[in-house]
Structure formats: structure tokens, C-alpha cells
Amino acid sequence: MFGFPMQTKTTDGLVIRMQPILESEMAAVPEPLARYEVCAHLSLRGAQNHQQELDWLKARYDDPDSQGWGIYEFKPGSDSRGRLIGASGIENISSYRGISGVVLWDSGMWGKGIASAIHRARCLYAVDVLGLVAIDSGADLVNQGSHRALCGVGYVKTGVDYNRGVAYGKHCHAVRLLWVNPSEYAWNFFWAGGKVPKHFVAGRVRAQNALDQARKEVEFL
């Protein structure tokens, strides 16, 4: 399934829309996903083609345990939907937990704070719409920008998947991360009265700050 459309912005004011992807928009996707520069950061071992992307889109529409969005660069005042530059979502949704991910296949948009804005909006959606208590995620260490963006909104490292893939001739590791809803009810439910690891206490502050910022930035369309 696709999630409800949202509009958010980066700290530099770049407007981003998160909305369902149209099949007609997928024609332009394989070109960036055929470049090694992009695939190396996504653990992809080969170039993607148009049919693979259409199959992915159909699976997204049909999966009742996921909520996803296309990521669009949007020009305020424009009549268009914006330019599709990536995708994000929450998958494997259970009664209280899910797994998040984001792909920005337009490398020209890297380093502009878009992933951080998406993470903030997605965490807000997870809490206010889906009622989730926790979100799992991960990042290849070759992609340091992704790791920083996740940690910045309150995700906390829980482990390492060693030698998960190869990028630029080197074996690379990936980190596993966890975001816990910072609200009093969800926090207490998740930890079930047990001792909270110290680094998660700091993560809770970042998570609450991210939600507070998202509530100023995000607009449901």
C-alpha cells in the first residue's frame, strides 16, 4: 500500500512531497539505478531495468503490510506533481513495529538534507497514523550520509552485519538501527520495565526533537 500524501521540507527550505507513484513515472527510474555510483550505495549487484521497477511498484501497491511513498522534488506554485527522485516506506508492519528504508536514486540530490526530512516525516507518520512503537532500519557503512541521517532523528545502533556486501572493491559492513517512539506510553511499553541502555536515552531526546520538528514541517495533502 501507499501512504497518505505528505509535503515536507529540508532545513534549507527545499520542498519535498511524499506521495503514491504513478506507473507512467517509472519510465525514468532505471537510468539512475543502472549506474554503479548509485547501486554501490544500495547493495545492488546489477543494473535495474524498467520491468523490475514496474514489478516493484506492483508489489508495493499489493502489500497490505507496508506503507510507502515516492519522493518528489516539488517547486511551490507548480501545477505538476514534482520530479520523482526516490522512494521510502515502512514495511513488515505488525501491530506495533515496522522496518523503514529510503532510496534517493538521483545522486544530484544527495547531501541536501532530503533523507533527514523524509525520516522525520516518516517517523511522524509511524507515530500519528500507524501508532507504531518502534521502527527497525539499517545502513551500509559505505553510505555514511544515510547512517548520519538515521542517527540524527533518533535511530540507535544495535548491531553490525559484517561483510554484508562489496563496494568499490572493498568488503563493507552494515549497521542495524532501531528507533523507539519517545512518548511516555510507547517508551514504557517497549522497554517493559527493563533497564534502558544509556545510548537509547540520548536517542529518545533526538527522536522527540525530530517529531517536534516534523510537526512544524509536515503537511498532509
Side-chain angles (χ1 to χ4, degrees), residues 117-140:
I118 296 298
H119 294 328
R120 290 191 294 270
R122 194 181 57 216
C123 288
L124 177 66
Y125 192 97
V127 169
D128 286 4
V129 179
L130 300 179
L132 297 187
V133 171
I135 311 171
D136 296 283
S137 193
D140 288 348

Side-chain angles (χ1 to χ4, degrees), residues 43-213:
S43 298
L44 294 175
R45 294 294 185 93
Q48 304 297 290
N49 61 43
H50 185 49
Q51 187 57 53
Q52 287 173 307
E53 296 308 320
L54 290 177
D55 291 343
W56 171 85
L57 184 65
K58 184 178 186 303
R60 174 66 70 193
Y61 271 112
D62 293 343
D63 185 357
D65 297 321
S66 73
Q67 295 270 296
W69 302 269
I71 302 170
Y72 295 75
E73 179 190 18
F74 181 74
K75 302 294 185 183
S78 171
D79 292 333
S80 73
R81 286 166 45 85
R83 184 172 67 91
L84 181 62
I85 59 174
S88 184
I90 305 173
E91 301 179 343
N92 292 10
I93 297 172
S94 67
S95 59
Y96 75 96
R97 197 163 182 162
I99 301 174
S100 69
V102 63
V103 176
L104 281 178
W105 51 67
D106 185 338
S107 58
M109 303 302 291
W110 295 352
K112 297 180 181 293
I114 295 172
S116 295
I118 296 298
H119 294 328
R120 290 191 294 270
R122 194 181 57 216
C123 288
L124 177 66
Y125 192 97
V127 169
D128 286 4
V129 179
L130 300 179
L132 297 187
V133 171
I135 311 171
D136 296 283
S137 193
D140 288 348
L141 284 178
V142 70
N143 192 347
Q144 286 294 314
S146 178
H147 185 210
R148 287 193 299 270
L150 287 163
C151 291
V153 301
Y155 282 82
V156 174
K157 177 182 173 181
T158 60
V160 178
D161 292 326
Y162 293 100
N163 294 323
R164 185 172 180 268
V166 178
Y168 301 102
K170 297 180 180 179
H171 284 84
C172 56
H173 312 315
V175 292
R176 296 189 297 273
L177 301 119
L178 175 66
W179 188 90
V180 181
N181 184 335
S183 73
E184 199 68 23
Y185 165 77
W187 187 261
N188 292 336
F189 171 84
F190 185 82
W191 295 108
K195 184 177 180 180
V196 180
K198 185 177 180 180
H199 55 304
F200 271 95
V201 175
R204 184 184 187 184
V205 175
R206 297 195 304 273
Q208 186 61 62
N209 288 340
L211 289 177
D212 291 344
Q213 186 173 348

